[in-house]
Amino acid sequence: MAEQGVRVRFAPSPTGALHIGGARTAYFNWLFARKNGGTFVLRIDDTDTSRSTEASYRQIIDSFRWLGITWDEGPEIGGDYGPYRQSKRLSLYREELHRLLEEDRVYPCFCTQEQLAADREQAQKEGRTPRYSGRCRHLTRAQQEHEMAVGKTPVYRLRAPSSGVTIVKDWIRGDVAFDNEEIDDFVVWKAEGMPTYHFASCVDDYKMGITHIIRADEHLSNTPRHIAMFQALGASIPYFIHIPMILAPDRSKLSKRHGATSVDEYRTAGILPEALINYLLLLGFSPGEEREVVSVEQAIELFDLRRVTKHAAVYDVKKLEWLNSHYMHAANPDRLLELVWDSWLERQWITADISREQLAWLRRLVAVIQERSHNLLDLQDDVGYYFVAPEHYDVKGVRKHFTSPDTAERLRTVANILQDVAPFTALAIERAIRRFIAQQEIKGGELIHPTRLSLSGLTVGPGLFDMMALLGRSECQRRLLAAADWMGQRGELQI
RNA sequence: GGCCCCAUGGUCAAGUGGUUAAGACACCGCCCUUUCACGGCGGUAACGGGGGUUCGAGUCCCCCUGGGGUCACCA
C-alpha cells in the first residue's frame, strides 16, 4: 500500500500537556509517513490566544522528543511550508479570508452572542438542532456597511451548502453520508481577529499540501464542515482516516480524574518511552502474528491502516506496566544508570567525580536490580541500602527473623566466615554460607533471612549472595556485626 | 434531543460464511526458590438481544439495546 508523496500532520494546541490520545494519533501519523516514505509535519495550533501557553508548547515538544517521534517539518526545524505555528501564519489566513470574501464564499455576521444564545435556546426548546439562523446571510452591501459604520465588529461565516449530502470517504469508516442541512454557516473568523480552528486547520492543510488527514474519531462529524471549507478554498480534498478514541476504564472520555493522562506524567512515573509508545501502538491496532512487544522499527514495518480497529479502546494501565517491566529487564544497564544518575546524585548516593572502578560497580548494581524492577522509580528509589547502611530494620522482618536467640551469634560467625571467602563472588559466598548452614543443621532460610535483614534492613530484594558480592566483604561484615549488636541491645532492654 | 460512529472474555484484541472462537494483560492455582520479582505449566472467562438471508452465521441485512462522538466567536 505504498502511497505517492504522502504528507501527514499532527497539530496539537499548546493548551496543556501532550495527551496520550494525541500522542497515539501523532504516532499513527508518523508511522504512516515512515511506512510510505512520506513527510510528517508538526504544526502548532495556537489560535486560541487565551489558552495557549509557551510552557505547554515546550512541554509538547519535549514529550515528542522523549517518545522519539521526530518531525520532518515543523517548529524548531522549519521546512518549506512554514511557519509552523498558526499564531505566526495570521497574514496567510487573512489573505485567504479576503479572497473568500471577494468570491462571496464568506460573509460578515453581526449577530450578538446574546442573539445567538437565544436562538440556540429556542431551538433546543422546540427540539430542533441548533443551527445558525442565517440572519446575516443575505444582508446587502449597504446593510453591512451600515453595521460597520455603527462600530460593530463582525465575525465571518462560510456560506455552507444547505441542501444535498456530503459523503466523507473515510479509509476506516467507509463512506459516511451527512445531510448538508446539518451543517450550518459556521464561523471561520472570530471578532478578535483570529481564525477559528476549522478555518486555520483547512487553510494550513491546503497550503501545506497535506494528503492524508489521520485524526481521532471525534472529528468525523466535523469533516463535512471541513470538506465544505476545502471546496470553498478551491483545495483538493485530502483522504480522511478517523482512528478510534482512547477511553477511560469507565468508558468515558479520558480525563484528569482517571489518573495520569499526559505523556509527561508517565515519564515522571518511571515509564520508559519505548514501553509507552509500544502500548500506544496496541490501542486500536493489532500488529498481527500474536505480537505484543513491538519496537518502533518493527512497528514501521508492520503498520497498516487496514489493521486499525473501528471501536474505541479502553486504556489499561496494567498492560502498560507489564510492557514497562519487560523493557526495564531488557534495557541496557548503562542507559538505565544514566536515567537515574541525577536522582542518585541528588540523594548523595553517588558523587559526580566517580572513579572507573566505581562506575563499573554501579553498572553491576543496575544489572542486578533491573531484573526485578517494573519501573524506573524502583531502580531510582529502592536501592539506598547499597550506598548507606540501614538505619532501621523492617518491623515485620524483625519479628520474623530476629527472634531466635541464636541468630545474633550466627550473624557474627557469618561475618567471620566471610573473612576467608576469596574471591568475594556470589558463588564463593554462597558455597561458604551453605557449608555453615549444613554444619549448624538448620534450614537455609533461618540464616539467609536474618542475613538479608541485617544487610539491607528489608525482607525483599535480589538474591542474597548477589547482594553480598555487590556490597563487598568489609561492608557486609560491618552490617552483620551492627545487626548482631542491635539485637543484643534490644534483648537487654526487654529484660 | 437531532445527526454520525461503534459493539468478540474484566481489558487490549485475532477472526473477513464452515475454527475445539487465537494470543496478550489482569485474575486464580501449581512448579522453581533464601525473600520479592522473573520464568515455566495449567485454569476461570467472550461473540449484547431479537428477527431475517443461507445447507450453515461472531462473520451478511434489519430492528432494538448499550456505549461513544458531535452539534461554540475551544481546538
Side-chain angles (χ1 to χ4, degrees):
Chain A
M1 189 166 79
E3 295 289 324
Q4 287 299 306
V6 165
R7 290 179 60 81
V8 294
R9 48 69 165 178
F10 180 69
S13 49
T15 54
L18 179 64
H19 191 87
I20 47 174
R24 199 225 11 195
T25 302
Y27 189 35
F28 280 22
N29 271 283
W30 185 88
L31 286 171
F32 184 69
R34 286 291 166 278
K35 174 94 185 184
N36 293 290
T39 303
F40 174 66
V41 178
L42 183 64
R43 183 170 81 209
I44 303 298
D45 204 336
D46 55 355
T47 51
D48 186 346
T49 47
S50 60
R51 293 196 304 148
S52 298
T53 67
E54 191 62 19
S56 292
Y57 164 75
R58 286 255 58 97
Q59 196 181 20
I60 288 167
I61 296 283
D62 284 349
S63 289
F64 275 126
R65 293 220 165 112
W66 179 71
L67 279 172
I69 294 179
T70 52
W71 48 102
D72 306 305
E73 291 175 26
E76 319 273 298
I77 63 165
D80 293 342
Y81 298 82
Y84 293 90
R85 292 182 72 157
Q86 294 189 322
S87 57
K88 302 217 168 102
R89 297 172 63 80
L90 256 29
S91 57
L92 249 61
Y93 305 130
R94 211 168 281 130
E95 209 174 282
E96 291 301 316
L97 175 72
H98 287 136
R99 207 187 96 214
L100 294 180
L101 207 47
E102 262 164 47
E103 294 170 8
D104 196 33
R105 295 186 175 275
V106 146
Y107 62 88
C109 169
F110 300 93
C111 296
T112 61
Q113 304 260 27
E114 293 71 40
Q115 272 176 309
L116 295 173
D119 285 350
R120 248 195 310 273
E121 206 174 307
Q122 181 72 15
Q124 219 117 48
K125 219 186 309 177
E126 293 171 18
R128 288 181 294 113
T129 307
R131 304 176 66 245
Y132 176 58
S133 65
R135 191 163 24 231
C136 298
R137 195 173 214 223
H138 302 293
L139 292 184
T140 62
R141 179 56 67 103
Q143 286 172 308
Q144 289 174 0
E145 275 165 10
H146 171 75
E147 296 289 349
M148 301 277 210
V150 297
K152 285 192 187 165
T153 310
V155 299
Y156 290 89
R157 290 179 184 274
L158 182 78
R159 279 187 209 285
S162 51
S163 63
V165 292
T166 297
I167 310 280
V168 177
K169 292 178 184 296
D170 188 276
W171 282 17
I172 291 172
R173 314 280 142 192
D175 288 2
V176 185
F178 292 87
D179 233 314
N180 284 342
E181 287 176 34
E182 296 295 325
I183 316 166
D184 62 358
D185 289 353
F186 58 94
V187 174
V188 299
W189 199 267
K190 308 182 230 178
E192 59 162 332
M194 293 288 279
T196 61
Y197 157 73
H198 298 300
F199 185 63
S201 172
C202 289
V203 168
D204 287 343
D205 289 339
Y206 166 43
K207 293 278 187 187
M208 293 182 176
I210 300 303
T211 56
H212 301 254
I213 296 182
I214 303 171
R215 60 180 15 165
D217 231 1
E218 56 190 324
H219 288 289
L220 183 57
S221 337
N222 282 153
T223 308
R225 246 179 279 275
H226 293 178
I227 289 177
M229 195 73 246
F230 283 125
Q231 282 168 340
L233 289 166
S236 58
I237 314 289
Y239 297 109
F240 293 103
I241 297 105
H242 286 95
I243 63 177
M245 312 223 347
I246 299 175
L247 266 29
D250 63 358
R251 309 212 113 259
S252 68
K253 210 165 171 173
L254 210 50
S255 71
K256 283 281 166 239
R257 73 193 161 90
H258 299 110
T261 54
S262 72
V263 170
D264 211 53
E265 284 170 287
Y266 283 100
R267 180 186 189 169
T268 359
I271 298 292
L272 260 15
E274 60 267 42
L276 218 209
I277 203 136
N278 190 157
Y279 181 63
L280 257 22
L281 177 74
L282 264 24
L283 287 176
F285 176 77
S286 166
E289 301 169 32
E290 300 186 2
R291 289 165 137 293
E292 305 286 335
V293 177
V294 186
S295 70
V296 169
E297 292 72 26
Q298 292 166 330
I300 294 171
E301 192 62 37
L302 263 18
F303 192 70
D304 184 342
L305 253 13
R306 284 172 301 195
R307 291 192 74 84
V308 173
T309 52
K310 294 181 157 184
H311 57 274
V314 170
Y315 191 78
D316 178 23
V317 194
K318 281 274 179 23
K319 192 153 184 173
L320 204 211
E321 286 167 352
W322 169 75
L323 276 167
N324 200 50
S325 61
H326 169 86
Y327 284 107
M328 278 300 294
H329 302 156
N332 180 317
D334 283 345
R335 175 181 162 223
L336 292 179
L337 180 58
E338 205 171 304
L339 289 172
V340 297
W341 189 268
D342 287 347
S343 163
W344 285 3
L345 260 184
E346 210 170 294
R347 292 166 216 237
Q348 298 181 316
W349 287 347
I350 55 174
T351 50
D353 55 332
I354 209 160
S355 72
R356 224 188 177 77
E357 290 72 32
Q358 285 170 312
L359 188 64
W361 180 81
L362 286 173
R363 280 202 197 103
R364 269 172 61 213
L365 170 61
V366 170
V368 166
I369 304 296
Q370 77 180 109
E371 280 181 56
R372 59 223 321 114
S373 301
H374 295 189
N375 190 293
L376 201 53
L377 298 186
D378 295 339
L379 184 62
Q380 190 175 86
D381 303 340
D382 302 341
V383 295
Y385 61 87
Y386 285 96
F387 303 101
V388 185
E391 283 170 11
H392 45 255
Y393 304 103
D394 178 86
V395 176
K396 276 185 190 159
V398 168
R399 211 173 297 146
K400 217 165 162 189
H401 307 302
F402 276 1
T403 45
S404 164
D406 303 325
T407 302
E409 200 43 47
R410 285 197 190 116
L411 292 177
R412 287 199 172 89
T413 312
V414 170
N416 225 310
I417 288 171
L418 292 180
Q419 192 56 44
D420 298 322
V421 174
F424 202 71
T425 60
L427 207 69
I429 298 165
E430 173 158 18
R431 207 175 300 136
I433 288 188
R434 294 274 183 209
R435 198 179 309 133
F436 178 57
I437 287 168
Q439 281 170 10
Q440 294 279 301
E441 294 182 340
I442 54 174
K443 289 203 285 187
E446 283 183 69
L447 182 65
I448 286 170
H449 292 309
T451 305
R452 169 189 302 286
L453 192 58
S454 306
L455 296 177
S456 70
L458 303 172
T459 57
V460 299
L464 177 67
F465 308 112
D466 287 322
M467 189 197 285
M468 292 176 82
L470 232 24
L471 283 171
R473 187 197 317 272
S474 54
E475 186 61 25
C476 283
Q477 289 173 321
R478 216 173 354 256
R479 292 186 189 187
L480 285 166
L481 295 179
D485 288 348
W486 184 84
M487 286 170 72
Q489 288 173 5
R490 188 164 169 272
E492 284 162 21
L493 284 175
Q494 277 175 352
I495 295 165

